Amino acid sequence: MSAPGPVSVDAAAVVDLLKTLVGIPSVNPSVAAGGAGEGAIARCLAGACERLGLTVALEEVAPGRPNVIAVLPGADPSRGRSLLLNGHTDTVGAGAMEAPFSPSLRGDRLYGRGVFDMKCGLAAMVEAVAALVRAGLRPRGDVVLTFAADEEHASLGTAAIARTRRADAAIVTEPTQLRICIAHKGFAWVMLRTTGRAAHGSDHAAGIDAIAHMGRVLSALERFDREVLARRSHPLLGRPSLHASLISGGEGPSTYPPSCELGVERRTLPGETPEGVRAEFDAILDRLRREDPRFQAAAELVIARPGLEVDRGTPIVRALHAALERHVTPSPEYVGQAAWFDAALLAEAGIPAVIFGPSGAGWHAAVEYADLPSVAACAQVLAQVILDFCGTAPA
Ligand SMILES: [Zn+2]
């Protein structure tokens, strides 16, 4: 490993690129009907990367919705590690935000939809590589910038990247206030269905009330959350949880309901598997069946996304720590985040992944801003990590 310098980021260029990105609407059309999608912002990022001399490809994950893959080929890939940087280009809808796509500068803050989540991370990725190119430094290993579509809905973009790209490590540049995020929760959606027997409301002997039976499920789940999940704990993420999210059933006031469906979301800790979650639900239903032979129910796992946990001793985490120490703070902080991120998809594909990005506030909120000095600092740290992790060769 070598750590040459100086590599200086161009703070004005980061701000210019960030303003340009915020000015291009990229609302995810699966989240908000009529959203512009990722086509225009992808072309803008592709152009910026082409001007730096990178090898650029647009890869559609849905019609008109491309990922951008921009590669700075390593000077000596057999002797250097490859690094993948990842960020999403889509945003949620503008909601009640004023002038969402006209970025406005107030002091050190830039406001607009997507400026924090996460166009600030995209601008930092591009500027990190731009700084290396300007300094005439060429990493030994490949640097792969990936700008992914659809993170705010089904993560089609990073799912495709995880299937097709390999790297020795990945950094997802979602905002972390310049802290190293080494863990986040996963989630699973489970659909439960109770089966009763339809009958006239007066026919007590024939009817079996599927909604009342779902009431038993609900109270068992509440108790499981309180008595079992509340006792599990992760040092950075706290406890796992579950909540009822959707319910339906019944046909009319004078009919015993023949079925009831309940959707439940379970937020998991790293290491809690879909099979384990499924087994917990099955055990709860088994117990209710033993208590009442007329009770009939089934659970189906609809979707499960894993949590993320990466060891502090992993080379990419150590490289980030060292770069933060050098450029930002003598004591870099480690954090976990409750929400789910694309990083887990990369980790699941065997690429050690960590989350690191700029500061600001307003995830999906009516007021959203990025702290501009932190965006430049993020770019500086990323440039340093590329040099240290991938190694450098004379340009
Ligand atoms: Zn995001």
Side-chain angles (χ1 to χ4, degrees), residues 22 59 78 84 108 139 161 241 243 248 253 267 272 288 341:
V22 174
E59 299 177 355
S78 64
L84 187 152
D108 277 342
I161 291 161
S241 62
H243 71 275
S248 65
R267 290 281 167 167
E272 289 188 315
L288 293 170
F341 294 95

Side-chain angles (χ1 to χ4, degrees), residues 88 90 116-118 151-152 172 174-175 340-341 363-364:
H88 65 84
D90 60 322
F116 175 64
D117 180 16
M118 58 163 286
E151 191 270 352
E152 299 290 2
V172 173
E174 290 266 13
W340 191 82
F341 294 95
W363 304 97
H364 303 192

Side-chain angles (χ1 to χ4, degrees), residues 13-14 16-21 24 40-58 68-73 123 126-127 129-135 145 147:
V14 188
D16 282 348
L17 177 57
L18 184 51
K19 281 183 179 165
T20 301
L21 295 176
I24 301 172
I41 196 169
R43 287 187 290 279
C44 170
L45 286 161
C49 292
E50 274 163 2
R51 286 191 290 280
L52 294 174
L54 307 194
T55 307
V56 179
L58 264 63
V68 182
I69 312 291
V71 182
L72 178 64
V126 173
E127 178 55 25
V129 171
L132 298 182
V133 170
R134 280 196 306 270
L145 304 187
F147 303 96

Side-chain angles (χ1 to χ4, degrees), residues 6-394:
V7 176
S8 50
V9 305
D10 181 341
V14 188
V15 175
D16 282 348
L17 177 57
L18 184 51
K19 281 183 179 165
T20 301
L21 295 176
V22 174
I24 301 172
S26 59
V27 173
N28 187 318
S30 302
V31 171
E38 301 89 342
I41 196 169
R43 287 187 290 279
C44 170
L45 286 161
C49 292
E50 274 163 2
R51 286 191 290 280
L52 294 174
L54 307 194
T55 307
V56 179
L58 264 63
E59 299 177 355
E60 279 200 346
V61 297
R65 304 184 59 192
N67 285 338
V68 182
I69 312 291
V71 182
L72 178 64
D76 187 1
S78 64
R79 293 173 59 211
R81 291 181 289 208
S82 57
L83 180 62
L84 187 152
L85 301 182
N86 173 279
H88 65 84
T89 53
D90 60 322
T91 71
V92 293
M97 185 178 285
E98 284 174 40
F101 308 115
S102 304
S104 69
L105 188 63
R106 276 171 263 165
D108 277 342
R109 294 175 174 179
L110 189 69
Y111 290 77
R113 174 51 88 223
V115 67
F116 175 64
D117 180 16
M118 58 163 286
K119 294 179 179 182
C120 58
L122 306 181
M125 280 162 63
V126 173
E127 178 55 25
V129 171
L132 298 182
V133 170
R134 280 196 306 270
L137 292 164
R138 185 80 183 274
R140 284 189 198 279
D142 289 349
V143 179
V144 185
L145 304 187
T146 62
F147 303 96
D150 195 47
E151 191 270 352
E152 299 290 2
H153 180 61
S155 291
L156 296 175
T158 295
I161 291 161
R163 276 196 304 275
T164 56
R165 301 280 158 179
R166 284 294 156 265
D168 292 310
I171 301 174
V172 173
T173 61
E174 290 266 13
T176 63
Q177 326 284 341
L178 297 176
R179 299 170 302 179
I180 306 172
C181 174
I182 53 173
H184 68 67
K185 287 184 180 176
F187 66 91
W189 293 343
V190 178
M191 281 303 295
L192 296 135
R193 171 190 278 258
T194 50
T195 304
R197 191 192 298 137
H200 191 273
S202 65
D203 194 352
H204 169 259
I208 298 176
D209 182 345
I211 293 177
H213 285 186
M214 191 59 88
R216 298 179 195 174
V217 176
L218 276 167
S219 75
L221 290 175
E222 217 184 344
R223 194 164 62 238
F224 179 75
D225 182 65
R226 198 174 54 238
E227 295 178 359
V228 179
L229 297 184
R231 295 209 175 101
R232 294 179 194 164
S233 184
H234 182 282
L236 293 175
L237 299 172
R239 54 161 290 184
S241 62
L242 67 75
H243 71 275
S245 47
L246 291 162
I247 190 163
S248 65
E251 294 178 351
S254 283
T255 306
Y256 273 81
S259 70
C260 180
E261 288 197 333
L262 173 71
V264 174
E265 183 179 71
R266 171 83 153 78
R267 290 281 167 167
T268 55
L269 295 179
E272 289 188 315
T273 62
E275 298 74 31
V277 167
R278 177 71 207 259
E280 289 167 355
F281 280 86
D282 285 343
I284 288 166
L285 298 184
D286 279 346
R287 189 169 53 72
L288 293 170
R289 264 185 224 108
R290 284 197 299 276
E291 288 170 6
D292 178 355
R294 291 180 10 134
F295 177 88
Q296 271 191 53
E300 182 195 350
L301 194 62
V302 180
I303 185 175
R305 297 282 198 202
L308 175 83
E309 178 147 50
V310 56
D311 192 272
R312 293 176 198 219
T314 307
I316 188 59
V317 177
R318 294 165 68 106
L320 253 178
H321 186 107
L324 272 164
E325 267 184 336
R326 179 164 173 174
H327 294 287
V328 176
T329 168
S331 38
E333 275 183 77
Y334 292 89
V335 292
Q337 305 225 35
W340 191 82
F341 294 95
D342 271 356
L345 292 178
L346 299 168
E348 200 180 25
I351 304 172
V354 61
I355 306 167
F356 171 75
S359 306
W363 304 97
H364 303 192
V367 177
E368 179 177 357
Y369 70 87
D371 170 69
L372 294 173
S374 78
V375 187
C378 177
Q380 181 78 61
V381 168
L382 292 175
Q384 188 72 51
V385 169
I386 291 170
L387 292 177
D388 294 349
F389 186 80
C390 302
T392 46

